[in-house]
Amino acid sequence: MRKVINKMVSEEDLIRTVATAYGNGWRQVKLYFMCGLPTETDEDVLQIGDMAVNVIAKGREVSGQNDIRATVSIGGFVPKPHTPFQWAPQLSAADTDARLKKLRDKIRGDKKYGRSIGFRYHDGKPGIVEGLLSRGDRRVGSVIRAVYESGGRFDGWREHFSYDLWMNCAEKTLPEFGVDVDWYTTRERTYEEVLPWDHLDSGLDKDWLWEDWQDALDETEVEDCRWTPCFDCGVCPQLDLDIQIGPTGKKLLPLSVVNK
């Protein structure tokens, strides 16, 4: 999955880094993940539990202590405009919650390491509303207005958020336009489709984004352009930017212990 999002950091890199932290006195690390990335399977998500176990095991090994903890924090992936994933289908709320439940059960079911692994997650429903707003067009304005007129306020706060309110308002307003929530969220787009934000110039070339999307589906790694020839994404010439080339020369590791 790291190849899909072009994060060229191996599990060995992660284990080596947390070993340095644990070996220098840290007792807890937080690991952040996303659920619902393109091409993802249930098994991909369950491997997060294996990684957390490896982190705890390495922490105990290098520190000689058993009071080592790791927190897995995970939420649903929401495709966004002006990124290679603007064409991607979003995982449904039900499928997101099902995968997160499997991961939670796996972590909690590990008798040797489960108590040392915290698990925090965001369920799939807020992500669907975020996806609707992220890739919606002017027709979604009718949904927003209906939610407001129905009493929706401060929806960014969990205690005020109502998924049912958003879905009910969408069901009342969107059929008039021949679309629904799934059309905006869980549907994959084609290259030929005119996207609502195509008239906005973020500096990135659309053809380059499409090529990057195809590379993601093929799990093709794209090198960091600071160390390789230009990939012609369009940002530098349009925004008159100069890339900072090369390492800083500063020593970043090992980390030093902060005494409180």
Side-chain angles (χ1 to χ4, degrees), residues 87-241:
W87 291 279
Q90 183 176 349
L91 193 66
S92 70
D95 288 339
T96 298
D97 291 344
R99 286 184 184 172
L100 293 178
K101 182 180 183 301
K102 290 179 180 179
L103 176 59
R104 181 193 64 193
D105 291 345
K106 177 173 183 174
I107 291 175
R108 292 180 177 176
D110 191 309
K111 295 181 179 180
K112 185 175 182 180
Y113 296 102
R115 291 182 178 274
S116 298
I117 303 173
F119 184 66
R120 297 180 180 178
Y121 67 96
H122 300 284
D123 65 70
K125 290 181 178 179
I128 291 297
V129 175
E130 182 182 345
L132 174 66
L133 299 178
S134 295
R135 293 192 290 176
D137 51 27
R138 66 187 64 191
R139 291 172 290 190
V140 175
S142 63
V143 182
I144 298 173
R145 179 170 182 171
V147 169
Y148 174 78
E149 292 177 344
S150 299
R153 301 290 189 279
F154 303 110
D155 297 78
W157 297 354
R158 179 177 298 180
E159 60 268 31
H160 295 288
F161 175 75
S162 172
Y163 178 77
D164 291 338
L165 175 61
W166 278 92
M167 294 303 104
N168 289 338
C169 289
E171 290 174 3
K172 291 178 181 178
T173 59
L174 292 180
E176 175 186 352
F177 305 108
V179 295
D180 57 16
V181 172
D182 289 342
W183 192 87
Y184 287 107
T185 56
T186 59
R187 177 181 64 90
E188 183 173 357
R189 279 73 165 166
T190 65
Y191 176 80
E192 291 75 20
E193 181 172 342
V194 177
L195 303 175
W197 49 88
D198 276 347
H199 64 291
L200 301 174
D201 185 7
S202 65
L204 287 167
D205 182 75
K206 185 177 180 179
D207 287 337
W208 181 85
L209 287 174
W210 177 260
E211 291 174 4
D212 211 38
W213 167 230
Q214 299 308 300
D215 285 339
L217 293 176
D218 294 335
E219 298 185 1
T220 300
E221 295 180 352
V222 179
E223 296 290 339
D224 190 325
C225 64
R226 290 175 296 175
W227 327 114
T228 62
C230 178
F231 291 113
D232 196 26
C233 70
V235 168
C236 294
Q238 291 195 48
L239 300 182
D240 193 26
L241 299 176

Side-chain angles (χ1 to χ4, degrees), residues 59-79:
R60 291 178 179 178
E61 175 189 334
V62 300
S63 68
Q65 304 292 328
N66 284 327
D67 62 335
I68 296 298
R69 290 191 56 81
T71 298
V72 171
S73 181
I74 184 169
F77 173 68
V78 180

